[in-house]
Amino acid sequence: MNIEQARFNMIEQQIRPTNVSSPAVLELLSIVKREDFFPLAQKSLAFFDTGLPLFPGIVSLTPKLEARIVQEVAAKKTDSVLVIGADTGYLAAMLGYQARHVTVMEAVPEIRELAQNNITKNGIRNVDVQWGDAMQADTFASFDVIVVTGSLESVPQSLQEQLNVAGRLFVVVGNEPVMTAQLITRESELFFNTTKLFETSIPRLSQVAPASTFSL
């Protein structure tokens, strides 16, 4: 398999057609090698337009969604980033190339270990993968960018409150079969602006229990 040809095809046939046009993001896809975040048996599949199984019941994000996320949040060298849900660590790695520091919170120990190992072996020093449930965190921190890698039924106000002014939150909201990717920007201390970006459907964030449908 010609890896570089596969990468070129991924960028030109999958990612550019999904409204990813930022030169910086397109260049980043060649700098951060996606195949290095998957085991040997999956390296040739890393460029396919599909999620790949990581552990039973858990699949990776697709390349085009990862690229779109990076473009939408537009991280800067001065930004502090929070990624909720580690996935393979590839998305956090790309954000790490753009931002000052990336904190990743992952509630599934096996996924946390996978992502941390990938980050370490790729020599990325400004990404820290921590074990814990960011949706139930006891400590409060503020960030310039927050990315949620799994879908939510709704966006908790407490999560929005962790944005600095001018901060951006990327999240996919709703229920199957159609969900909406949203970018929430904190315009001021009290005002948040929500932009609906596109329709998609991704698995629920692993650390969030589904809403109860039980009624008396």
Side-chain angles (χ1 to χ4, degrees):
M1 178 186 180
N2 186 323
I3 290 289
E4 292 309 317
Q5 184 63 51
R7 193 185 329 279
F8 177 84
N9 293 342
M10 176 188 74
I11 294 171
E12 297 301 322
Q13 298 174 12
Q14 294 177 41
I15 293 175
R16 278 189 189 270
T18 54
N19 295 319
V20 177
S21 58
S22 164
V25 174
L26 294 172
E27 181 182 11
L28 198 55
L29 294 167
S30 295
I31 294 173
V32 186
K33 309 297 187 183
R34 192 172 197 268
E35 69 274 16
D36 289 346
F37 290 77
F38 291 90
L40 182 61
Q42 290 183 326
K43 284 187 183 297
S44 63
L45 306 176
F47 307 102
F48 287 15
D49 185 18
T50 185
L52 298 178
L54 304 179
F55 286 92
I58 302 177
V59 298
S60 70
L61 297 175
T62 63
K64 64 185 180 184
L65 181 56
E66 290 167 324
R68 187 71 187 271
I69 291 171
V70 173
Q71 176 173 272
E72 295 298 341
V73 299
K76 302 185 293 292
K77 283 298 184 183
T78 55
D79 284 347
S80 175
V81 178
L82 172 66
V83 177
I84 301 176
D87 202 70
T88 65
Y90 176 67
L91 175 61
M94 287 201 293
L95 291 167
Y97 267 81
Q98 293 186 317
R100 177 176 58 82
H101 186 267
V102 178
T103 299
V104 184
M105 294 294 294
E106 175 55 60
V108 179
E110 295 85 354
I111 298 295
R112 183 262 167 198
E113 183 178 2
L114 169 70
Q116 183 61 74
N117 288 342
N118 284 336
I119 292 294
T120 300
K121 77 178 183 181
N122 281 280
I124 301 165
R125 300 181 182 276
N126 66 333
V127 176
D128 178 28
V129 186
Q130 301 180 14
W131 178 81
D133 183 351
M135 308 302 289
Q136 302 292 331
D138 294 328
T139 57
F140 184 90
S142 58
F143 299 91
D144 302 295
V145 172
I146 300 175
V147 174
V148 185
T149 64
S151 63
L152 301 174
E153 289 189 6
S154 60
V155 185
Q157 183 65 28
S158 59
L159 186 60
Q160 299 182 61
E161 292 292 343
Q162 292 193 69
L163 285 174
N164 293 325
V165 173
R168 291 84 66 203
L169 163 63
F170 179 94
V171 62
V172 175
V173 181
N175 295 289
E176 292 183 341
V178 178
M179 305 173 185
T180 304
Q182 299 181 1
L183 188 70
I184 300 173
T185 304
R186 187 166 198 169
E187 304 285 357
S188 67
E189 287 293 335
L190 300 177
F191 180 70
F192 297 84
N193 180 61
T194 299
T195 302
K196 295 182 178 180
L197 300 172
F198 53 90
E199 292 186 346
T200 186
S201 183
I202 63 174
R204 190 69 73 205
L205 186 67
S206 59
Q207 57 225 57
V208 177
S212 173
T213 57
F214 177 79
S215 60
L216 295 175

